[in-house]
Amino acid sequence: MFFLLDLIPTTTTVTAKNVSRALLVAGSSGLFLSFSAAHCTYCSVHEGEYSKYAALISSSQRPQLVRIDAERERALTRRYDIDTLPALVLAWSTHWTVYTGLHQHAAMAAFSDAQSAPLVETITSVARLEALLEEHRPDPWLAMEKAVVGSILLLGFFTDFDEQAEELEDLSHAAMQLRQQRTDVPVRAAAVTATPTVIAEYGRRLRWFTRSPCALLLVDGEVRSGEFPLDEQDEGGLDLASWAARAAVPALGELTAANFAAYAATNLPMLMAFIHPAKDNSALKHELQSVTTFVSTSSGAHNPR
């Protein structure tokens, strides 16, 4: 019997000549394009994680990881806007995203899962909501990383999807914006029917929300910035997409080239402290945390980062 998957080249290296064919054959699963070079010291550091990722996806529909020699394939590095090595690009035949997150097998798998998922999942049962929340609990390995966000989950609670279609559209727009802004972490979104059971558990007991329609943003399983009313004007004059962009970044975090765009999307002033990584910065970090706490209590969800 002949399968389309048999057309995928046996070699894990692709070039400008065969990358289009490889992406077409990969279909909806896509490919992780791994750009590296022989002279790149940092590229070899991640080889162990790439091998773990390959083993992780052997029995799944996740994207296969293929190699691209950045020195020889200059045309591909320009096509995918690669300016640093190593680099990972999650690509399909029609679109692609430069992955700026951790080159760690679990993080890579979670990001590809989120990118392949529906933009907004419709949830009508408590069981499915609980399963989705379980998927977004922080990974123990990622939890050890300082100032690293593991996952972002945008939830909307609705009493009637048809009557609240405009608010549902706002949720979809915010989800799209978050996916475009956060190429470093998996971003998922779901529209949840606010059934009596959901209200009793997540409204009254956990106090996640007091009304519907509303939106919540969870980072690594924890609710950030409270609920956002979808049918009323926000107190700070923000739309849902702007509110979500701000809630998705920590008030005190480590600014890097990978997450700078996420902070810039908040349109907030930033207090930046330049530190020496080899020195003990615990006193400075404690002082910055005190400033962050003070500003948060004074300005609410619209405070500087």
Side-chain angles (χ1 to χ4, degrees):
M1 186 175 293
F2 181 75
F3 295 95
L4 279 178
L5 291 177
D6 296 329
L7 293 173
I8 295 179
T10 55
T11 176
T12 57
T13 301
V14 298
T15 66
K17 292 183 178 180
N18 64 7
V19 65
S20 295
R21 176 173 175 267
L23 289 170
L24 184 63
V25 171
S28 60
S29 295
L31 292 174
F32 251 131
L33 308 179
S34 173
F35 289 81
S36 61
H39 69 271
C40 173
T41 304
Y42 289 108
C43 296
S44 59
V45 173
H46 301 290
E47 285 302 319
E49 290 298 330
Y50 295 160
S51 297
K52 290 179 182 178
Y53 176 79
L56 186 68
I57 67 169
S58 60
S59 60
S60 71
Q61 294 299 313
R62 291 190 176 108
Q64 177 185 348
L65 188 143
V66 297
R67 312 284 183 158
I68 294 178
D69 188 325
E71 285 189 329
R72 295 183 178 181
E73 302 297 332
R74 299 292 180 88
L76 288 181
T77 60
R78 290 192 296 269
R79 180 192 300 182
Y80 292 106
D81 299 327
I82 302 302
D83 52 14
T84 59
L85 295 177
L88 289 172
V89 177
L90 186 55
W92 295 266
S93 58
T94 57
H95 61 287
W96 48 272
T97 298
V98 177
Y99 172 59
T100 59
L102 295 173
H103 288 219
Q104 190 264 352
H105 68 282
M108 292 164 59
F111 183 80
S112 67
D113 289 347
Q115 289 288 316
S116 301
L119 180 60
V120 176
E121 178 182 353
T122 300
I123 294 180
T124 58
S125 70
V126 174
R128 176 53 196 150
L129 176 58
E130 291 175 345
L132 181 62
L133 293 173
E134 183 62 33
E135 293 171 16
H136 283 264
R137 302 207 183 279
D139 184 286
W141 188 92
L142 295 178
M144 294 188 297
E145 293 291 306
K146 295 181 180 179
V148 171
V149 172
S151 67
I152 296 172
L153 176 61
L154 180 63
L155 294 178
F157 292 90
F158 301 86
T159 52
D160 190 299
F161 291 140
D162 293 330
E163 292 184 1
Q164 297 166 340
E166 186 175 340
E167 288 81 2
L168 183 59
E169 185 176 344
D170 290 341
L171 183 72
S172 298
H173 174 69
M176 176 62 74
Q177 291 288 93
L178 273 178
R179 276 198 183 182
Q180 293 173 348
Q181 294 163 0
R182 302 307 299 264
T183 58
D184 58 328
V185 293
V187 175
R188 298 281 293 274
V192 183
T193 301
T195 63
T197 305
V198 168
I199 294 173
E201 175 65 16
Y202 298 96
R204 297 194 186 98
R205 193 180 76 82
L206 294 179
R207 298 182 180 179
W208 280 10
F209 66 95
T210 59
R211 63 193 308 284
S212 64
C214 72
L216 293 174
L217 190 125
L218 285 76
V219 176
D220 293 335
E222 295 185 357
V223 177
R224 290 278 183 89
S225 300
E227 64 185 350
F228 183 94
L230 291 175
D231 58 349
E232 294 180 4
Q233 180 70 29
D234 175 62
E235 292 180 1
L238 296 175
D239 60 10
L240 178 60
S242 299
W243 172 85
R246 295 186 180 189
V249 296
L252 177 62
E254 181 180 347
L255 191 64
T256 67
N259 65 19
F260 183 83
Y263 279 91
T266 66
N267 292 315
L268 287 171
M270 289 186 289
L271 174 63
M272 294 187 289
F274 294 85
I275 62 176
H276 195 296
K279 295 183 178 180
D280 182 8
N281 301 291
S282 55
L284 176 59
K285 291 180 179 179
H286 178 74
E287 187 67 25
L288 289 173
Q289 186 62 62
S290 299
V291 172
T292 300
T293 302
F294 172 77
V295 175
S296 296
T297 55
S298 302
S299 307
H302 313 299
N303 57 289
R305 262 42 185 171

